[in-house]
Amino acid sequence: MKGYSPVLSTRFRGIRMTRNNPETNSEDALSNRLDIIIMLLLDRQRTQDKKITKADQIRMLYSGGLKSVEIGKLIGWPDSAVRTEISKMRRDKKK
């Protein structure tokens, strides 16, 4: 394939995880570890304070700047359920 450049082709597909890219590996590993830490803290909070619901946790994580996909991954809910909860939260805030 004349003129084929793997760098240009990945530009359109997004960055892919490779073993040859140590920066990507270390960033992903760090992200995974931070996700685990957040999950553990949320779990601990739920066990200590029975009044805190998943909706409360979604509110806290969303106000912290996380996206619905990231929140869903952390609390174990599908993205659509998290988005629904966020929209309810916004509606309640407007009233």
Side-chain angles (χ1 to χ4, degrees):
M1 295 170 78
K2 189 174 181 181
Y4 173 76
S5 171
V7 174
L8 291 177
S9 67
T10 58
R11 180 175 157 201
F12 299 106
R13 289 179 294 189
I15 298 172
R16 293 187 340 175
M17 176 82 168
T18 62
R19 292 181 185 195
N20 298 331
N21 189 348
E23 288 181 17
T24 305
N25 288 333
S26 65
E27 288 173 9
D28 286 344
L30 180 61
S31 176
N32 288 340
R33 288 187 177 131
L34 288 173
D35 285 348
I36 291 169
I37 290 170
I38 292 170
M39 282 187 255
L40 290 171
L41 289 172
L42 289 172
D43 233 15
R44 182 175 179 204
Q45 181 185 34
R46 246 192 322 262
T47 56
Q48 287 180 349
D49 189 0
K50 302 291 182 185
K51 296 177 188 175
I52 292 183
T53 63
K54 293 245 185 184
D56 294 332
Q57 291 179 339
I58 290 172
R59 186 175 297 112
M60 285 186 278
L61 293 170
Y62 183 71
S63 67
L66 292 177
K67 298 177 185 173
S68 60
V69 174
E70 298 165 331
I71 295 170
K73 181 180 171 187
L74 289 172
I75 66 168
W77 275 17
D79 181 37
S80 58
V82 173
R83 282 193 309 260
T84 302
E85 202 61 45
I86 290 171
S87 67
K88 286 179 189 177
M89 179 179 70
R90 287 180 183 163
R91 267 184 279 157
D92 292 344
K93 189 177 180 180
K94 286 182 182 181
K95 291 182 181 180

